[in-house]
Structures are given as structure tokens and as C-alpha cells.
Amino acid sequence: MQFQLTNRQEHILWATVRHYIATAEPVGSKALIEEFDLGVSSATIRNVMGVLEKSGLLYQPHTSAGRVPSDSGYRIYVDRLMKPSAALAKEVESTLQQRLHWDDWSLEALLQGAAQTLATLSGCITLITIPQPNIVQLRHLQLLQVEDGKVMLIVVTDSYETHSKVMDLFTRESATKPDPETIDRELQIVSNFLNSHLRGFTLLELAQLDWSELDQEFQRYGEFLKSSLTELLRRAVAPSATQIMVRGVGEVLRQPEFAQVQQVQTIMHLLEEEQEQLWRLICEESEIEETGKPKVTVRIGTENPLEPIRTCSLISSSYRRGTVPVGSIGVLGPTRLDYENAIAVVAAAAEYLSEAFSQTA
């Protein structure tokens, strides 16, 4: 629905939203006169608020109360009347750079750290999806002899996750078994060869390689590599209980909008038991703006298709490796949230994670 508003109507809608976000109390003309320099009388403000109410942008929660923004009112506020906080975006980027260390941490630790930081800065529930394994790439591969006839395959991905598998190198029917020193030397040669040729391959591509093309002297490792990588792939793509990292629940649930126990229970059930639905929602859009930065999507109240969060706002974006989306990040809070800050937090975090993942390619 298109709303044609005058500058005065937009200004009063902006002030009403700002005051309600700050106080959680229905807004009257007196409060706006005291807090904002609107340059008009109290009677004029009341008249304009009445027009905004008839347009469906404000409503009265009960008779004689002030007005509260509707989902449509918040939508106009987000689309036309506000700008994301540039100062907070810089703070988010600086904080993430100071707290997160890509060279030293595992992927899970990094994303947990990012999620906790964003929950603290935004005051919202923070959601970060773990990168999908079919696009996680090989950073390093190593073959090690761990004991007689047993070899460990270690795979390190570009997101610094480590997977390993120990298997028997020889079958009982093997006619000849080289001495351990020969095996160590061959394993190092094969490791060097594979790293130089396969760096950047996805785990799925590695599992589908034809290992029979290895040089004849290294044929004994072909079946081992195929079996090990297939097992590692199966393990990596198995559904994970931590597919979405969730932080900041306690702080948000203390907001007055979540005073009803039943509402809290439905949200917690979604976060804990129905993550697949939530995952699809925050991952379904992954556009890039003309600036080359990931687009931020804002879903307000009833715009959310999931019933448990139709009284909430969900702000999300994707983080990427180059131009390829590898995961999503979002914040969830009441519709009465500070959109300037929440949008800035998500945008800055998505850009930071995108740059970090692209540098590990």
C-alpha cells in the first residue's frame, strides 16, 4: 500500500516512532511537544496523529491512550524516515576486529564470538547460520602414518574447521607392504601434490574425484582417500543442532512486549525446536546492493511468515565468500526496536564476515 504523506505528517510520524521506541509508552501530543522541536501547536499534532491513525500508520491500544506505531507505520519509518547509524556500524566493525582472531580460532568459536558481540551491541536475539559444507573449501590436506598400516587424513577447510579420519591403508590381501619410512615419505609427497592441485576444491568435489588417476606408485592411497573423504563429507553434512547460533535471548525477553509467558514459550520453541523454519527464512534472500555490499532485509511484525515471530521484527543479511553466499546473520526483537542501530549492526557484521571469509579463499 502506498502512503502519500506531507512533510509535516512524516515528521510527526518519525517523532512518534522515536518516542515509542525509547519509552514503550503510547505517545500523545504533549510528549512530542516536550521532546521534539516540531514547530507546531499541540492541536495540530493531535490532528495529524488522527490522520495517521485513519491511514493505519498509528493506532490506539485502548480508549484515551496515546498512539502506537502500526507495522505499516514502522515500515514507512524504516523505508523513508531513518538512516542506519554510521557511528554504530564503525563500532561494530572495530569491535569485531579487536575481539575475533581468524588465524587462531575455529569457525565455531569465531561465529559464537560474533553472535555474542552483536547481541550485546544490538540488544536483540542474534542468529548466525553456520556455512554450508558443500561450499566449504579445502585449505590444507595432510596424510600422516599414525601406526603400522594405519593412516590419518586431516582436512582443514578455508573456514578453519578440521576434520580427520583414521583408516587401514592395507587390506589383509595386500601382497607387499612398504616399510614405515617409505610410507612416511610417500605420504608427504602425496600430501604436497594434493595441496598444490586441490586447494580451493569443495568437500563435495573432493569426494567425487577419480583417485585412480594418481601416479602408479601412489595407487595404494587412492581407495583410502576416496573412502576417507566420503566419510568426512557424510559427517560434515549431517544435520547439526547448532546449525543456527543463537545469542542474546535473556535480554530481549525482559522487554515489556514479552510479558506473556505463552508468547515467550512459542518463540523459544521456534529457536530451539524449529530452527529449520527459521533457517529457511533468514537464508531465502541473499541479494547484493549496487555498492557490492550484502543487502539487509527487514521484516516487520506481520510481514514475518512464521506465526511465533509475527509480533517481532527480523533483520537479516548474508555473509559471503566473494559473491557466493556462505551463511546468514540476523537480529530478532520486538517491533519496537531501534531500527537505526539494528540495521547498522547487521550490515556491518555481514560486511565484516564477508571480508574475512573472502580473505581465507
Side-chain angles (χ1 to χ4, degrees):
M1 183 182 297
Q2 294 295 320
F3 295 93
Q4 299 297 326
L5 302 180
T6 66
N7 290 339
R8 177 177 292 173
Q9 290 168 344
E10 286 188 344
H11 197 189
I12 290 175
L13 176 61
W14 171 85
T16 303
V17 173
R18 290 303 308 161
H19 184 83
Y20 184 65
I21 288 172
T23 66
E25 296 290 337
V27 185
S29 58
K30 182 180 178 180
L32 296 185
I33 286 282
E34 293 175 349
E35 185 173 352
F36 301 97
D37 181 16
L38 299 176
V40 295
S41 68
S42 180
T44 299
I45 292 175
R46 285 195 297 271
N47 289 335
V48 170
M49 294 180 82
V51 172
L52 294 172
E53 184 179 358
K54 289 180 180 179
S55 300
L57 303 180
L58 301 177
Y59 69 93
Q60 284 184 294
H62 50 82
T63 306
S64 78
R67 269 81 169 192
V68 171
S70 67
D71 291 351
S72 297
Y74 282 123
R75 172 50 63 191
I76 288 184
Y77 176 78
V78 168
D79 290 347
R80 304 187 202 172
L81 308 181
M82 54 134 283
K83 291 183 179 179
S85 171
L88 184 58
K90 291 181 180 179
E91 181 183 351
V92 170
E93 183 179 359
S94 175
T95 303
L96 291 174
Q97 288 175 345
Q98 292 172 8
R99 295 184 181 180
L100 306 185
H101 306 286
W102 286 85
D103 292 336
D104 303 326
W105 292 12
S106 69
L107 171 68
E108 185 171 352
L110 283 164
L111 295 184
Q112 285 178 346
Q116 187 59 59
T117 299
L118 299 185
T120 300
L121 294 175
S122 69
C124 297
I125 297 172
T126 299
L127 312 166
I128 300 183
T129 68
I130 296 175
Q132 294 304 288
N134 62 323
I135 55 175
V136 171
Q137 297 172 325
L138 173 70
R139 182 179 183 87
H140 183 75
L141 180 151
Q142 187 71 42
L143 292 165
L144 296 173
Q145 184 176 202
V146 291
E147 58 182 87
D148 185 31
K150 291 186 180 293
V151 174
M152 174 184 288
L153 169 64
I154 303 172
V155 171
V156 182
T157 69
D158 57 337
S159 52
Y160 293 95
E161 281 191 306
T162 301
H163 303 277
S164 63
K165 176 68 177 177
V166 176
M167 292 184 66
D168 292 320
L169 180 57
F170 303 105
T171 64
R172 293 181 178 179
E173 294 76 21
S174 298
T176 58
K177 297 180 181 180
D179 62 84
E181 291 185 1
T182 299
I183 293 176
D184 283 339
R185 185 170 60 253
E186 290 184 351
L187 290 175
Q188 188 59 56
I189 293 172
V190 173
S191 297
N192 293 341
F193 174 81
L194 295 177
N195 279 307
S196 65
H197 285 78
L198 303 181
R199 181 183 171 92
F201 277 53
T202 67
L203 294 185
L204 184 59
E205 290 171 331
L206 289 175
Q208 294 175 341
L209 286 177
D210 183 2
W211 297 99
S212 64
E213 296 180 1
L214 284 172
D215 289 347
Q216 188 63 37
E217 60 182 313
F218 301 130
Q219 280 295 320
R220 64 172 65 94
Y221 302 107
E223 187 59 34
F224 168 81
L225 288 167
K226 180 179 179 180
S227 300
S228 299
L229 286 166
T230 299
E231 170 63 19
L232 292 181
L233 176 66
R234 184 194 63 76
R235 205 184 300 167
V237 300
S240 171
T242 58
Q243 192 175 35
I244 300 180
M245 293 185 175
V246 181
R247 295 292 184 276
V249 173
E251 185 66 30
V252 169
L253 294 186
R254 285 193 285 270
Q255 297 293 329
E257 288 86 348
F258 301 107
Q260 296 183 358
V261 174
Q262 184 176 0
Q263 184 183 13
V264 173
Q265 289 176 336
T266 59
I267 292 176
M268 293 305 299
H269 180 77
L270 176 66
L271 294 174
E272 295 176 352
E273 306 295 335
E274 302 291 341
Q275 282 200 1
E276 185 177 349
Q277 294 186 49
L278 197 56
W279 186 91
R280 287 199 300 267
L281 181 60
I282 65 176
C283 291
E284 68 182 16
E285 294 185 20
S286 56
E287 299 179 20
I288 294 182
E289 297 177 345
E290 293 181 1
T291 59
K293 298 179 181 180
K295 179 182 177 181
V296 176
T297 299
V298 181
R299 296 180 179 85
I300 300 170
T302 53
E303 297 172 358
N304 286 298
L306 300 179
E307 184 65 32
I309 57 172
R310 300 198 82 191
T311 58
C312 302
S313 286
L314 176 64
I315 301 172
S316 60
S317 187
S318 64
Y319 60 95
R320 299 166 177 267
R321 179 184 296 111
T323 60
V324 180
V326 295
S328 294
I329 180 170
V331 296
L332 178 70
T335 54
R336 184 193 58 82
L337 60 76
D338 192 329
Y339 291 94
E340 285 95 333
N341 287 352
I343 293 171
V345 164
V346 171
E351 186 174 1
Y352 173 82
L353 291 177
S354 295
E355 290 178 358
F357 270 83
S358 296
Q359 290 171 5
T360 62

